[in-house]
Amino acid sequence: MKVGILADRLNRPRTGIGNYTYNLIKELDSIDPIQNEIFLINYELNDLFPNLNKIIVPNPLKNIIEKSFYIWHLYLQSKLKKTNFGIDIIHSPENATPFLKIKPKKIITVHDITPFLFPGSFSSLTLFRYRLLFRRTLKTADKIISDSYNTKRDLINYFNVPDEKISVVHLGIDEKFRVLDVNTVDRIREKYSLNYPFILYVGTLEPRKNIPTLIKAFCEIKNKNSIHKLVIAGKKGWKYKDIFNMIDELHLRDEIIFTDYVPYEDLPGLYNAADLFVYPSLYEGFGFPPLEAMACGCPVITSNSSSLPEVVGDAGLMFDPYNYLELKLKICDILTNSHLRDDLVKKGLKRVADFSWNKCSRETIKIYQEVYCQKNII
């Protein structure tokens, strides 16, 4: 069985989908490479995964148009309609490509349907691309992988995708996220000048992440003379100005610290340094940060929406994301109850053992084999 994976995400700074693509390929490279031959399809050669086969389809507009990788996908699909490049299955690790009927059997991974539920969080170009291509992508795929049962339900409810066409494969977390030694954590504290106890949030500053609810809950806690500060780690996304306006109105400028984007290698130390991690997001296709925090021994509070209960299970506290007073009570419970805190830390460390990239890759291979066998029967 020869599987081609669209690997153009490896050319760009890695975020969510890029991390998924990288870790999936990394594990596939180490699992039975003889029986399952992996080909990376890209528009340029890079130094990653030197042992894997490469299919390079040059991007004719790379040096002319910024973000021309969208156009490259169109160009690639025109090629795939004419030839299969010697592969049996093609796997696209992201939602909206490819959308044409092509010669190899086609598998796509759908992480979420955020552009349809929260269009204000995306550029007009991204929304146009999704609205134009996504439904056709779902229709022409031979199999769909979703990160969570919640995303599977969304695909069934919003797009009428047949249940049997979707397989759920939970993602993994990087082994870098673990309990660290005191000296390592102290270096991160010093780097970011965090010489005080703090509550942590990690994620983009945008409406879907529901940061104002966290700020209002934190304000209630400060009114009770809490010694904790709130650290918000993440880059500015869309419509973030309301967050700063609220902070000024509540006179919390000195109590809330914004680190901006934190490099991936610093995140484990940041989670380790925090007394509590809060993730108030309204919608997630999977939700890495709560798992990352738990892997670092940090107790977690997260909203009871979308996929988050499925991911966190009973290892974290849940709250209604529209009820900041409920969140306030949950925060106070953890900060004042050492037995509860210790119990959540213990449950969190146990919970993350269920989410590994090796497990994710092995389950993905089973789907490749299923689609390949269907092809041969036909």
mmCIF file of all heavy atoms in Angstrom, residues 241-284:
data_model
loop_
_atom_site.group_PDB
_atom_site.id
_atom_site.type_symbol
_atom_site.label_atom_id
_atom_site.label_comp_id
_atom_site.label_asym_id
_atom_site.label_seq_id
_atom_site.Cartn_x
_atom_site.Cartn_y
_atom_site.Cartn_z
ATOM 1 N N LYS A 241 -9.652 43.920 20.395
ATOM 2 C CA LYS A 241 -9.571 45.196 21.111
ATOM 3 C C LYS A 241 -10.548 45.271 22.285
ATOM 4 O O LYS A 241 -10.272 45.946 23.286
ATOM 5 C CB LYS A 241 -9.804 46.357 20.144
ATOM 6 C CG LYS A 241 -8.674 46.531 19.132
ATOM 7 C CD LYS A 241 -8.882 47.750 18.243
ATOM 8 C CE LYS A 241 -7.733 47.907 17.268
ATOM 9 N NZ LYS A 241 -7.913 49.086 16.365
ATOM 10 N N ASP A 242 -11.675 44.576 22.168
ATOM 11 C CA ASP A 242 -12.641 44.583 23.271
ATOM 12 C C ASP A 242 -12.030 44.006 24.552
ATOM 13 O O ASP A 242 -12.423 44.392 25.659
ATOM 14 C CB ASP A 242 -13.880 43.771 22.888
ATOM 15 C CG ASP A 242 -14.757 44.478 21.863
ATOM 16 O OD1 ASP A 242 -14.529 45.683 21.633
ATOM 17 O OD2 ASP A 242 -15.650 43.820 21.290
ATOM 18 N N ILE A 243 -11.093 43.096 24.395
ATOM 19 C CA ILE A 243 -10.428 42.499 25.560
ATOM 20 C C ILE A 243 -9.680 43.573 26.335
ATOM 21 O O ILE A 243 -9.806 43.696 27.562
ATOM 22 C CB ILE A 243 -9.459 41.378 25.112
ATOM 23 C CG1 ILE A 243 -10.251 40.227 24.482
ATOM 24 C CG2 ILE A 243 -8.602 40.895 26.277
ATOM 25 C CD1 ILE A 243 -9.388 39.177 23.823
ATOM 26 N N PHE A 244 -8.917 44.387 25.638
ATOM 27 C CA PHE A 244 -8.123 45.436 26.291
ATOM 28 C C PHE A 244 -9.016 46.547 26.834
ATOM 29 O O PHE A 244 -8.723 47.127 27.886
ATOM 30 C CB PHE A 244 -7.086 45.988 25.314
ATOM 31 C CG PHE A 244 -6.025 44.983 24.949
ATOM 32 C CD1 PHE A 244 -6.149 44.198 23.821
ATOM 33 C CD2 PHE A 244 -4.919 44.798 25.764
ATOM 34 C CE1 PHE A 244 -5.187 43.258 23.494
ATOM 35 C CE2 PHE A 244 -3.941 43.870 25.454
ATOM 36 C CZ PHE A 244 -4.074 43.097 24.312
ATOM 37 N N ASN A 245 -10.108 46.834 26.124
ATOM 38 C CA ASN A 245 -11.053 47.831 26.634
ATOM 39 C C ASN A 245 -11.675 47.373 27.952
ATOM 40 O O ASN A 245 -11.829 48.167 28.891
ATOM 41 C CB ASN A 245 -12.147 48.091 25.606
ATOM 42 C CG ASN A 245 -11.638 48.801 24.372
ATOM 43 O OD1 ASN A 245 -10.604 49.470 24.425
ATOM 44 N ND2 ASN A 245 -12.336 48.656 23.254
ATOM 45 N N MET A 246 -12.018 46.099 28.034
ATOM 46 C CA MET A 246 -12.597 45.557 29.270
ATOM 47 C C MET A 246 -11.605 45.630 30.420
ATOM 48 O O MET A 246 -11.972 45.985 31.553
ATOM 49 C CB MET A 246 -13.041 44.101 29.053
ATOM 50 C CG MET A 246 -13.558 43.427 30.316
ATOM 51 S SD MET A 246 -14.080 41.726 30.045
ATOM 52 C CE MET A 246 -15.620 42.013 29.184
ATOM 53 N N ILE A 247 -10.361 45.324 30.139
ATOM 54 C CA ILE A 247 -9.325 45.370 31.178
ATOM 55 C C ILE A 247 -9.184 46.785 31.726
ATOM 56 O O ILE A 247 -9.041 46.986 32.950
ATOM 57 C CB ILE A 247 -7.986 44.854 30.619
ATOM 58 C CG1 ILE A 247 -8.075 43.342 30.381
ATOM 59 C CG2 ILE A 247 -6.827 45.165 31.566
ATOM 60 C CD1 ILE A 247 -6.900 42.772 29.641
ATOM 61 N N ASP A 248 -9.232 47.765 30.840
ATOM 62 C CA ASP A 248 -9.147 49.163 31.295
ATOM 63 C C ASP A 248 -10.368 49.547 32.126
ATOM 64 O O ASP A 248 -10.247 50.214 33.167
ATOM 65 C CB ASP A 248 -9.039 50.092 30.082
ATOM 66 C CG ASP A 248 -7.650 50.042 29.446
ATOM 67 O OD1 ASP A 248 -6.682 49.666 30.152
ATOM 68 O OD2 ASP A 248 -7.535 50.354 28.247
ATOM 69 N N GLU A 249 -11.549 49.125 31.673
ATOM 70 C CA GLU A 249 -12.773 49.455 32.404
ATOM 71 C C GLU A 249 -12.786 48.835 33.808
ATOM 72 O O GLU A 249 -13.318 49.424 34.751
ATOM 73 C CB GLU A 249 -13.988 48.958 31.620
ATOM 74 C CG GLU A 249 -14.243 49.736 30.326
ATOM 75 C CD GLU A 249 -15.315 49.078 29.475
ATOM 76 O OE1 GLU A 249 -15.914 48.079 29.939
ATOM 77 O OE2 GLU A 249 -15.544 49.553 28.343
ATOM 78 N N LEU A 250 -12.182 47.672 33.944
ATOM 79 C CA LEU A 250 -12.168 46.967 35.224
ATOM 80 C C LEU A 250 -10.916 47.273 36.050
ATOM 81 O O LEU A 250 -10.722 46.708 37.127
ATOM 82 C CB LEU A 250 -12.281 45.449 34.990
ATOM 83 C CG LEU A 250 -13.581 44.965 34.333
ATOM 84 C CD1 LEU A 250 -13.511 43.472 34.046
ATOM 85 C CD2 LEU A 250 -14.784 45.284 35.216
ATOM 86 N N HIS A 251 -10.057 48.162 35.513
ATOM 87 C CA HIS A 251 -8.834 48.601 36.211
ATOM 88 C C HIS A 251 -7.933 47.409 36.568
ATOM 89 O O HIS A 251 -7.455 47.266 37.698
ATOM 90 C CB HIS A 251 -9.206 49.378 37.487
ATOM 91 C CG HIS A 251 -10.162 50.500 37.256
ATOM 92 N ND1 HIS A 251 -9.809 51.641 36.568
ATOM 93 C CD2 HIS A 251 -11.482 50.640 37.594
ATOM 94 C CE1 HIS A 251 -10.858 52.458 36.500
ATOM 95 N NE2 HIS A 251 -11.882 51.872 37.103
ATOM 96 N N LEU A 252 -7.687 46.578 35.557
ATOM 97 C CA LEU A 252 -6.888 45.371 35.778
ATOM 98 C C LEU A 252 -5.574 45.371 35.000
ATOM 99 O O LEU A 252 -4.931 44.330 34.843
ATOM 100 C CB LEU A 252 -7.707 44.129 35.370
ATOM 101 C CG LEU A 252 -8.934 43.800 36.226
ATOM 102 C CD1 LEU A 252 -9.739 42.672 35.582
ATOM 103 C CD2 LEU A 252 -8.510 43.416 37.643
ATOM 104 N N ARG A 253 -5.143 46.529 34.542
ATOM 105 C CA ARG A 253 -3.923 46.612 33.734
ATOM 106 C C ARG A 253 -2.712 46.016 34.444
ATOM 107 O O ARG A 253 -1.857 45.386 33.823
ATOM 108 C CB ARG A 253 -3.628 48.060 33.354
ATOM 109 C CG ARG A 253 -4.359 48.553 32.122
ATOM 110 C CD ARG A 253 -3.730 48.003 30.857
ATOM 111 N NE ARG A 253 -4.445 48.445 29.666
ATOM 112 C CZ ARG A 253 -4.102 48.137 28.431
ATOM 113 N NH1 ARG A 253 -3.066 47.342 28.224
ATOM 114 N NH2 ARG A 253 -4.799 48.557 27.402
ATOM 115 N N ASP A 254 -2.619 46.217 35.741
ATOM 116 C CA ASP A 254 -1.455 45.733 36.486
ATOM 117 C C ASP A 254 -1.603 44.279 36.923
ATOM 118 O O ASP A 254 -0.654 43.693 37.450
ATOM 119 C CB ASP A 254 -1.212 46.606 37.726
ATOM 120 C CG ASP A 254 -0.842 48.029 37.357
ATOM 121 O OD1 ASP A 254 -0.265 48.222 36.266
ATOM 122 O OD2 ASP A 254 -1.136 48.947 38.158
ATOM 123 N N GLU A 255 -2.781 43.708 36.722
ATOM 124 C CA GLU A 255 -3.051 42.354 37.216
ATOM 125 C C GLU A 255 -3.095 41.306 36.102
ATOM 126 O O GLU A 255 -3.060 40.112 36.385
ATOM 127 C CB GLU A 255 -4.384 42.328 37.969
ATOM 128 C CG GLU A 255 -4.474 43.313 39.120
ATOM 129 C CD GLU A 255 -3.425 43.022 40.192
ATOM 130 O OE1 GLU A 255 -3.054 41.848 40.357
ATOM 131 O OE2 GLU A 255 -2.985 43.988 40.851
ATOM 132 N N ILE A 256 -3.192 41.753 34.848
ATOM 133 C CA ILE A 256 -3.263 40.828 33.708
ATOM 134 C C ILE A 256 -2.054 41.079 32.807
ATOM 135 O O ILE A 256 -1.820 42.187 32.348
ATOM 136 C CB ILE A 256 -4.573 41.002 32.925
ATOM 137 C CG1 ILE A 256 -5.766 40.711 33.839
ATOM 138 C CG2 ILE A 256 -4.592 40.081 31.710
ATOM 139 C CD1 ILE A 256 -7.114 40.869 33.165
ATOM 140 N N ILE A 257 -1.297 40.016 32.567
ATOM 141 C CA ILE A 257 -0.058 40.123 31.799
ATOM 142 C C ILE A 257 -0.238 39.418 30.464
ATOM 143 O O ILE A 257 -0.668 38.259 30.411
ATOM 144 C CB ILE A 257 1.121 39.483 32.571
ATOM 145 C CG1 ILE A 257 1.459 40.307 33.811
ATOM 146 C CG2 ILE A 257 2.359 39.379 31.693
ATOM 147 C CD1 ILE A 257 0.612 40.023 35.003
ATOM 148 N N PHE A 258 0.103 40.108 29.383
ATOM 149 C CA PHE A 258 0.060 39.537 28.047
ATOM 150 C C PHE A 258 1.482 39.239 27.586
ATOM 151 O O PHE A 258 2.312 40.140 27.515
ATOM 152 C CB PHE A 258 -0.617 40.509 27.069
ATOM 153 C CG PHE A 258 -2.094 40.661 27.289
ATOM 154 C CD1 PHE A 258 -2.567 41.586 28.216
ATOM 155 C CD2 PHE A 258 -3.005 39.883 26.595
ATOM 156 C CE1 PHE A 258 -3.930 41.737 28.437
ATOM 157 C CE2 PHE A 258 -4.367 40.027 26.811
ATOM 158 C CZ PHE A 258 -4.835 40.951 27.735
ATOM 159 N N THR A 259 1.754 37.983 27.289
ATOM 160 C CA THR A 259 3.101 37.615 26.842
ATOM 161 C C THR A 259 3.246 37.689 25.333
ATOM 162 O O THR A 259 4.360 37.607 24.825
ATOM 163 C CB THR A 259 3.430 36.173 27.260
ATOM 164 O OG1 THR A 259 2.564 35.267 26.560
ATOM 165 C CG2 THR A 259 3.273 35.989 28.754
ATOM 166 N N ASP A 260 2.133 37.827 24.593
ATOM 167 C CA ASP A 260 2.098 37.672 23.139
ATOM 168 C C ASP A 260 2.403 36.205 22.808
ATOM 169 O O ASP A 260 2.321 35.337 23.669
ATOM 170 C CB ASP A 260 3.079 38.626 22.459
ATOM 171 C CG ASP A 260 2.646 38.980 21.035
ATOM 172 O OD1 ASP A 260 1.843 38.224 20.454
ATOM 173 O OD2 ASP A 260 3.103 40.002 20.499
ATOM 174 N N TYR A 261 2.776 35.925 21.584
ATOM 175 C CA TYR A 261 3.042 34.548 21.166
ATOM 176 C C TYR A 261 4.214 33.963 21.959
ATOM 177 O O TYR A 261 5.256 34.605 22.108
ATOM 178 C CB TYR A 261 3.370 34.507 19.675
ATOM 179 C CG TYR A 261 3.827 33.154 19.181
ATOM 180 C CD1 TYR A 261 2.918 32.136 18.950
ATOM 181 C CD2 TYR A 261 5.178 32.898 18.945
ATOM 182 C CE1 TYR A 261 3.322 30.894 18.500
ATOM 183 C CE2 TYR A 261 5.604 31.658 18.495
ATOM 184 C CZ TYR A 261 4.671 30.655 18.275
ATOM 185 O OH TYR A 261 5.090 29.430 17.841
ATOM 186 N N VAL A 262 4.028 32.763 22.487
ATOM 187 C CA VAL A 262 5.076 32.077 23.230
ATOM 188 C C VAL A 262 5.610 30.938 22.365
ATOM 189 O O VAL A 262 4.836 30.101 21.892
ATOM 190 C CB VAL A 262 4.535 31.502 24.561
ATOM 191 C CG1 VAL A 262 5.585 30.641 25.247
ATOM 192 C CG2 VAL A 262 4.096 32.649 25.474
ATOM 193 N N PRO A 263 6.922 30.890 22.123
ATOM 194 C CA PRO A 263 7.489 29.802 21.317
ATOM 195 C C PRO A 263 7.112 28.439 21.879
ATOM 196 O O PRO A 263 6.984 28.262 23.096
ATOM 197 C CB PRO A 263 9.006 30.041 21.410
ATOM 198 C CG PRO A 263 9.145 31.488 21.730
ATOM 199 C CD PRO A 263 7.954 31.835 22.583
ATOM 200 N N TYR A 264 6.938 27.486 20.984
ATOM 201 C CA TYR A 264 6.481 26.142 21.352
ATOM 202 C C TYR A 264 7.344 25.527 22.449
ATOM 203 O O TYR A 264 6.846 24.883 23.366
ATOM 204 C CB TYR A 264 6.506 25.266 20.098
ATOM 205 C CG TYR A 264 5.757 23.963 20.218
ATOM 206 C CD1 TYR A 264 4.374 23.930 20.364
ATOM 207 C CD2 TYR A 264 6.437 22.744 20.166
ATOM 208 C CE1 TYR A 264 3.677 22.732 20.455
ATOM 209 C CE2 TYR A 264 5.747 21.537 20.259
ATOM 210 C CZ TYR A 264 4.381 21.542 20.398
ATOM 211 O OH TYR A 264 3.705 20.347 20.504
ATOM 212 N N GLU A 265 8.664 25.760 22.360
ATOM 213 C CA GLU A 265 9.579 25.138 23.331
ATOM 214 C C GLU A 265 9.449 25.733 24.726
ATOM 215 O O GLU A 265 9.881 25.115 25.714
ATOM 216 C CB GLU A 265 11.028 25.254 22.851
ATOM 217 C CG GLU A 265 11.539 26.673 22.652
ATOM 218 C CD GLU A 265 11.305 27.215 21.251
ATOM 219 O OE1 GLU A 265 10.470 26.641 20.508
ATOM 220 O OE2 GLU A 265 11.972 28.216 20.896
ATOM 221 N N ASP A 266 8.839 26.907 24.855
ATOM 222 C CA ASP A 266 8.665 27.533 26.175
ATOM 223 C C ASP A 266 7.349 27.150 26.853
ATOM 224 O O ASP A 266 7.189 27.359 28.057
ATOM 225 C CB ASP A 266 8.728 29.067 26.054
ATOM 226 C CG ASP A 266 10.144 29.570 25.798
ATOM 227 O OD1 ASP A 266 11.085 28.759 25.887
ATOM 228 O OD2 ASP A 266 10.298 30.770 25.512
ATOM 229 N N LEU A 267 6.409 26.623 26.080
ATOM 230 C CA LEU A 267 5.079 26.340 26.638
ATOM 231 C C LEU A 267 5.094 25.340 27.794
ATOM 232 O O LEU A 267 4.409 25.555 28.801
ATOM 233 C CB LEU A 267 4.138 25.855 25.536
ATOM 234 C CG LEU A 267 3.559 26.936 24.622
ATOM 235 C CD1 LEU A 267 2.730 26.305 23.505
ATOM 236 C CD2 LEU A 267 2.703 27.924 25.412
ATOM 237 N N PRO A 268 5.867 24.230 27.708
ATOM 238 C CA PRO A 268 5.860 23.307 28.847
ATOM 239 C C PRO A 268 6.276 23.977 30.161
ATOM 240 O O PRO A 268 5.664 23.730 31.208
ATOM 241 C CB PRO A 268 6.871 22.226 28.430
ATOM 242 C CG PRO A 268 6.825 22.248 26.941
ATOM 243 C CD PRO A 268 6.643 23.695 26.578
ATOM 244 N N GLY A 269 7.274 24.838 30.108
ATOM 245 C CA GLY A 269 7.711 25.543 31.310
ATOM 246 C C GLY A 269 6.653 26.492 31.833
ATOM 247 O O GLY A 269 6.485 26.645 33.051
ATOM 248 N N LEU A 270 5.907 27.113 30.919
ATOM 249 C CA LEU A 270 4.851 28.044 31.318
ATOM 250 C C LEU A 270 3.715 27.294 32.021
ATOM 251 O O LEU A 270 3.215 27.733 33.064
ATOM 252 C CB LEU A 270 4.339 28.781 30.087
ATOM 253 C CG LEU A 270 3.616 30.108 30.312
ATOM 254 C CD1 LEU A 270 4.528 31.111 30.981
ATOM 255 C CD2 LEU A 270 3.111 30.665 28.978
ATOM 256 N N TYR A 271 3.316 26.167 31.457
ATOM 257 C CA TYR A 271 2.277 25.353 32.113
ATOM 258 C C TYR A 271 2.738 24.884 33.497
ATOM 259 O O TYR A 271 1.960 24.871 34.452
ATOM 260 C CB TYR A 271 1.952 24.121 31.264
ATOM 261 C CG TYR A 271 1.160 24.376 30.008
ATOM 262 C CD1 TYR A 271 1.637 23.955 28.760
ATOM 263 C CD2 TYR A 271 -0.088 24.995 30.033
ATOM 264 C CE1 TYR A 271 0.909 24.149 27.597
ATOM 265 C CE2 TYR A 271 -0.820 25.203 28.880
ATOM 266 C CZ TYR A 271 -0.313 24.781 27.659
ATOM 267 O OH TYR A 271 -1.042 24.973 26.505
ATOM 268 N N ASN A 272 3.995 24.474 33.587
ATOM 269 C CA ASN A 272 4.532 23.995 34.863
ATOM 270 C C ASN A 272 4.540 25.090 35.918
ATOM 271 O O ASN A 272 4.358 24.825 37.105
ATOM 272 C CB ASN A 272 5.955 23.469 34.674
ATOM 273 C CG ASN A 272 6.012 22.000 34.307
ATOM 274 O OD1 ASN A 272 6.205 21.130 35.150
ATOM 275 N ND2 ASN A 272 5.846 21.712 33.019
ATOM 276 N N ALA A 273 4.765 26.323 35.492
ATOM 277 C CA ALA A 273 4.886 27.440 36.435
ATOM 278 C C ALA A 273 3.528 27.918 36.949
ATOM 279 O O ALA A 273 3.443 28.531 38.015
ATOM 280 C CB ALA A 273 5.624 28.604 35.772
ATOM 281 N N ALA A 274 2.462 27.629 36.200
ATOM 282 C CA ALA A 274 1.124 28.135 36.566
ATOM 283 C C ALA A 274 0.515 27.329 37.710
ATOM 284 O O ALA A 274 0.749 26.129 37.848
ATOM 285 C CB ALA A 274 0.206 28.085 35.349
ATOM 286 N N ASP A 275 -0.300 27.988 38.524
ATOM 287 C CA ASP A 275 -1.054 27.303 39.577
ATOM 288 C C ASP A 275 -2.353 26.711 39.042
ATOM 289 O O ASP A 275 -2.930 25.803 39.648
ATOM 290 C CB ASP A 275 -1.380 28.277 40.714
ATOM 291 C CG ASP A 275 -0.169 28.594 41.555
ATOM 292 O OD1 ASP A 275 0.811 27.828 41.514
ATOM 293 O OD2 ASP A 275 -0.196 29.630 42.254
ATOM 294 N N LEU A 276 -2.803 27.238 37.923
ATOM 295 C CA LEU A 276 -4.082 26.812 37.365
ATOM 296 C C LEU A 276 -4.145 27.223 35.901
ATOM 297 O O LEU A 276 -3.666 28.290 35.522
ATOM 298 C CB LEU A 276 -5.225 27.482 38.141
ATOM 299 C CG LEU A 276 -6.645 27.348 37.594
ATOM 300 C CD1 LEU A 276 -7.087 25.886 37.582
ATOM 301 C CD2 LEU A 276 -7.618 28.191 38.423
ATOM 302 N N PHE A 277 -4.735 26.362 35.064
ATOM 303 C CA PHE A 277 -4.939 26.684 33.655
ATOM 304 C C PHE A 277 -6.438 26.766 33.384
ATOM 305 O O PHE A 277 -7.197 25.854 33.751
ATOM 306 C CB PHE A 277 -4.315 25.621 32.755
ATOM 307 C CG PHE A 277 -4.534 25.874 31.291
ATOM 308 C CD1 PHE A 277 -3.796 26.842 30.631
ATOM 309 C CD2 PHE A 277 -5.484 25.161 30.574
ATOM 310 C CE1 PHE A 277 -3.999 27.102 29.289
ATOM 311 C CE2 PHE A 277 -5.701 25.406 29.232
ATOM 312 C CZ PHE A 277 -4.951 26.377 28.577
ATOM 313 N N VAL A 278 -6.870 27.845 32.738
ATOM 314 C CA VAL A 278 -8.289 28.045 32.412
ATOM 315 C C VAL A 278 -8.439 28.202 30.906
ATOM 316 O O VAL A 278 -7.741 29.003 30.279
ATOM 317 C CB VAL A 278 -8.874 29.274 33.128
ATOM 318 C CG1 VAL A 278 -10.350 29.425 32.775
ATOM 319 C CG2 VAL A 278 -8.705 29.161 34.634
ATOM 320 N N TYR A 279 -9.374 27.441 30.344
ATOM 321 C CA TYR A 279 -9.609 27.461 28.898
ATOM 322 C C TYR A 279 -11.111 27.646 28.653
ATOM 323 O O TYR A 279 -11.880 26.688 28.629
ATOM 324 C CB TYR A 279 -9.127 26.156 28.280
ATOM 325 C CG TYR A 279 -8.828 26.233 26.812
ATOM 326 C CD1 TYR A 279 -7.838 27.090 26.327
ATOM 327 C CD2 TYR A 279 -9.518 25.443 25.894
ATOM 328 C CE1 TYR A 279 -7.541 27.145 24.984
ATOM 329 C CE2 TYR A 279 -9.230 25.491 24.544
ATOM 330 C CZ TYR A 279 -8.237 26.346 24.094
ATOM 331 O OH TYR A 279 -7.929 26.407 22.747
ATOM 332 N N PRO A 280 -11.554 28.903 28.454
ATOM 333 C CA PRO A 280 -12.997 29.193 28.385
ATOM 334 C C PRO A 280 -13.599 29.136 26.978
ATOM 335 O O PRO A 280 -14.682 29.658 26.748
ATOM 336 C CB PRO A 280 -13.050 30.616 28.928
ATOM 337 C CG PRO A 280 -11.758 31.225 28.457
ATOM 338 C CD PRO A 280 -10.741 30.117 28.479
ATOM 339 N N SER A 281 -12.916 28.509 26.036
ATOM 340 C CA SER A 281 -13.295 28.534 24.618
ATOM 341 C C SER A 281 -14.744 28.104 24.386
ATOM 342 O O SER A 281 -15.262 27.194 25.040
ATOM 343 C CB SER A 281 -12.358 27.629 23.819
ATOM 344 O OG SER A 281 -12.700 27.650 22.453
ATOM 345 N N LEU A 282 -15.381 28.756 23.413
ATOM 346 C CA LEU A 282 -16.757 28.422 23.047
ATOM 347 C C LEU A 282 -16.828 27.209 22.128
ATOM 348 O O LEU A 282 -17.829 26.491 22.121
ATOM 349 C CB LEU A 282 -17.411 29.615 22.343
ATOM 350 C CG LEU A 282 -17.557 30.894 23.172
ATOM 351 C CD1 LEU A 282 -18.088 32.021 22.292
ATOM 352 C CD2 LEU A 282 -18.465 30.668 24.366
ATOM 353 N N TYR A 283 -15.772 26.990 21.342
ATOM 354 C CA TYR A 283 -15.808 25.894 20.378
ATOM 355 C C TYR A 283 -14.395 25.445 20.030
ATOM 356 O O TYR A 283 -13.540 26.265 19.719
ATOM 357 C CB TYR A 283 -16.526 26.319 19.097
ATOM 358 C CG TYR A 283 -16.561 25.240 18.034
ATOM 359 C CD1 TYR A 283 -17.562 24.270 18.034
ATOM 360 C CD2 TYR A 283 -15.596 25.188 17.035
ATOM 361 C CE1 TYR A 283 -17.603 23.276 17.063
ATOM 362 C CE2 TYR A 283 -15.622 24.194 16.064
ATOM 363 C CZ TYR A 283 -16.621 23.236 16.079
ATOM 364 O OH TYR A 283 -16.645 22.253 15.125
ATOM 365 N N GLU A 284 -14.154 24.132 20.084
ATOM 366 C CA GLU A 284 -12.891 23.535 19.670
ATOM 367 C C GLU A 284 -13.174 22.226 18.936
ATOM 368 O O GLU A 284 -14.031 21.442 19.353
ATOM 369 C CB GLU A 284 -11.991 23.235 20.878
ATOM 370 C CG GLU A 284 -11.558 24.457 21.664
ATOM 371 C CD GLU A 284 -10.596 25.353 20.904
ATOM 372 O OE1 GLU A 284 -9.802 24.821 20.085
ATOM 373 O OE2 GLU A 284 -10.643 26.579 21.116
#
